Amino acid sequence: MASDEPQAKRKKLSKEEEKEERKEKEERKEEVKEERKEEVKEERKEEKRKTPTKKTPAELSTNSLFGMGNPLLDISAVVDKDFLDKFEEIVKKFNVEYHAGGATQNSIKIAQWMIQKPHNVGTFFGCIGKDKFGEILKQKAVEAHIDAHYYEQEEEPTGSCAACITGDNRSLVANLAAANCYKKDKHLDLEENWKLVEKAKVYYIAGFFLTVSLESILKVAKHASENNKLFCLNLSAPFICQFFKDNLMQVMPYVDVLFGNETEAATFAEEQDFETEDIKEIAKKAQALPKVNTKRQRIVVLTQGKDETTMAHEGKVETFPVLKIDPKDMVDTNGAGDAFVGGFLSELVQEKPLDQCVRAAHYAANVIIRRAGCTFPEKPDFN
């Protein structure tokens, strides 16, 4: 009996040890699980750091993208050759199509089309008349899902651009009219309108508006600079670089992203005494011009039609080939520049990488040149 007691104790101890061992194993399993969870978290963080952030359009808020410029009602019709000398009768005699137009409004419209949802990511300011064309323009802006807030006045009629199509040829006749009448104090300065400006994080204005309201551009540009937001400007035309050079250079210190094509870039370089005709050098020199907000380096994007797009940023110059297109598929190149900017802005406002912005720009331009006017299918096919 005495000899069996220690053995019983040993058995008892071994059972307790087994129980303790099982407990330790369970605890270890839990520790391993927790350690693995932490490892997975770190792996995911690392993946996020390596992979560019992909924001879905649904994450965008309304009025994130702001544009201000010359709103025109685009009117297009197929006409006889005899008609071209009396285009004002176009709406009386022919079946016409109406679209919200003007360079900046086109770009905002294209950006919204690329984004799809939510609607009204793009805000647009400009001046129209209190007339039939003005009402049509307001309706077309609604259909394009842009949040247009027009300054309406009675002195001038709504601006228009008539496209008379004869076979493969298009004759464009623009009448700026009311678009030239935008007033900062009558519209931009109003509290309810300025709140929309403050909501935006990316701003875009075509150079054409430098001929209309420099003070309005400067107010928006300074707001963007002071709040470290992105202000984008387009050279728009050689005559802007030449005859409105002073206005252009007053705005330039606030420009974060500068757009232009090869002709505009060449004129700009000549007017600024860059002493070069090389597109890459022009981009570098434009990027290096004085800038108020030093937290952001300027980005310069120059297109060259079917040739590669040049982009200068962070002290380097990159080139991007455009999408190829069969010449027989090209219908109208007039809206290509506006579409390029719209595509670029659609990704920029979502904080996508710059190469993605250029890809979207090339895609949008490629779609638009296959169609008459600055028009597009119901949905984009871009990813």
Side-chain angles (χ1 to χ4, degrees):
M1 291 281 294
S3 61
D4 290 339
E5 194 175 339
Q7 192 174 348
K9 279 186 180 178
R10 280 198 299 272
K11 282 183 182 177
K12 193 175 180 182
L13 282 173
S14 70
K15 280 183 183 178
E16 286 176 358
E17 285 169 356
E18 282 174 15
K19 192 176 177 183
E20 192 64 34
E21 200 173 309
R22 280 197 300 271
K23 188 180 175 184
E24 285 177 4
K25 280 182 182 177
E26 290 300 320
E27 286 175 352
R28 183 61 189 144
K29 275 183 187 176
E30 288 302 314
E31 285 174 12
V32 169
K33 275 185 188 176
E34 290 302 315
E35 284 172 6
R36 184 57 192 146
K37 277 183 188 175
E38 290 303 313
E39 284 174 9
V40 169
K41 277 184 187 175
E42 288 304 315
E43 284 169 9
R44 284 177 181 165
K45 280 182 187 175
E46 187 61 27
E47 279 174 16
K48 282 183 181 177
R49 278 194 289 268
K50 289 180 180 176
T51 308
T53 304
K54 290 187 177 181
K55 293 190 177 184
T56 63
E59 290 178 283
L60 282 172
S61 60
T62 57
N63 310 114
S64 295
L65 175 63
F66 176 85
M68 183 167 59
N70 300 333
L72 302 177
L73 181 64
D74 284 349
I75 308 165
S76 62
V78 176
V79 302
D80 302 324
K81 287 184 180 177
D82 298 339
F83 182 76
L84 292 179
D85 60 348
K86 47 184 178 178
F87 80 94
E88 66 276 359
E89 295 178 27
I90 190 170
V91 295
K92 297 176 186 174
K93 293 191 175 181
F94 296 92
N95 290 324
V96 301
E97 286 185 16
Y98 296 107
H99 300 282
T104 301
Q105 191 164 224
N106 277 341
S107 294
I108 299 298
K109 190 171 71 170
I110 292 286
Q112 181 65 60
W113 169 68
M114 289 284 287
I115 290 165
Q116 288 285 300
K117 287 184 179 178
H119 294 163
N120 297 331
V121 168
T123 309
F124 178 77
F125 284 5
C127 182
I128 63 173
K130 290 185 178 180
D131 50 26
K132 180 188 173 185
F133 279 2
E135 291 303 312
I136 296 172
L137 184 52
K138 285 191 281 186
Q139 181 56 39
K140 291 300 169 184
V142 169
E143 290 172 12
H145 306 303
I146 60 174
D147 192 19
H149 293 256
Y150 300 115
Y151 165 48
E152 298 180 49
Q153 47 74 61
E154 295 179 349
E155 285 73 33
E156 290 286 340
T158 298
S160 59
C161 181
C164 304
I165 304 160
T166 54
D168 292 334
N169 300 312
R170 282 164 57 83
S171 298
L172 297 176
V173 187
N175 177 28
L176 291 178
N180 272 325
C181 302
Y182 189 82
K183 298 286 187 290
K184 171 178 167 288
D185 59 332
K186 299 277 183 69
H187 193 258
L188 185 67
D189 289 345
L190 299 184
E191 186 181 355
E192 64 270 25
N193 291 334
W194 188 248
K195 279 181 180 176
L196 291 171
V197 177
E198 291 177 323
K199 278 184 75 176
K201 58 183 182 180
V202 175
Y203 303 82
Y204 173 68
I205 297 175
F208 294 121
F209 202 59
L210 288 164
T211 71
V212 176
S213 184
L214 173 62
E215 62 274 23
S216 295
I217 299 175
L218 284 171
K219 181 172 182 178
V220 171
K222 286 175 181 177
H223 167 78
S225 181
E226 288 162 5
N227 292 277
N228 197 30
K229 299 177 181 180
L230 284 161
F231 180 78
C232 313
L233 185 77
N234 202 317
L235 294 175
S236 292
F239 82 87
I240 298 292
C241 304
Q242 286 176 302
F243 305 116
F244 293 88
K245 177 168 65 175
D246 291 345
N247 287 7
L248 175 61
M249 297 317 291
Q250 281 189 60
V251 177
M252 192 59 68
Y254 304 100
V255 176
D256 295 297
V257 185
L258 180 68
F259 296 102
N261 65 27
E262 73 276 33
T263 311
E264 295 151 8
T267 305
F268 182 71
E270 187 178 345
E271 292 296 323
Q272 298 301 316
D273 299 321
F274 283 174
E275 297 181 345
T276 182
E277 294 178 1
D278 181 84
I279 196 86
K280 292 179 182 177
E281 286 302 309
I282 293 170
K284 280 170 68 175
K285 286 179 179 288
Q287 191 210 2
L289 288 169
K291 193 169 182 298
V292 172
N293 180 13
T294 54
K295 292 176 186 174
R296 295 182 184 274
Q297 287 195 36
R298 182 178 291 118
I299 299 161
V300 178
V301 186
L302 303 176
T303 60
Q304 302 180 89
K306 63 180 174 50
D307 296 324
E308 62 189 17
T309 294
T310 300
M311 179 167 65
H313 65 107
E314 295 180 349
K316 61 183 178 181
V317 178
E318 292 184 80
T319 57
F320 302 85
V322 302
L323 295 171
K324 294 192 185 309
I325 182 171
D326 191 316
K328 72 178 190 306
D329 293 328
M330 292 171 62
V331 175
D332 182 5
T333 60
N334 282 304
D338 297 341
F340 177 93
V341 172
F344 194 100
L345 294 174
S346 74
E347 302 300 293
L348 188 68
V349 76
Q350 297 180 76
E351 300 174 16
K352 298 289 182 68
L354 290 173
D355 59 343
Q356 175 87 341
C357 296
V358 175
R359 274 205 324 114
H362 284 162
Y363 168 79
N366 188 270
V367 169
I368 266 59
I369 61 177
R370 297 170 187 268
R371 305 165 68 91
C374 194
T375 62
F376 37 78
E378 185 182 352
K379 289 184 178 180
D381 182 22
F382 175 78
N383 48 46

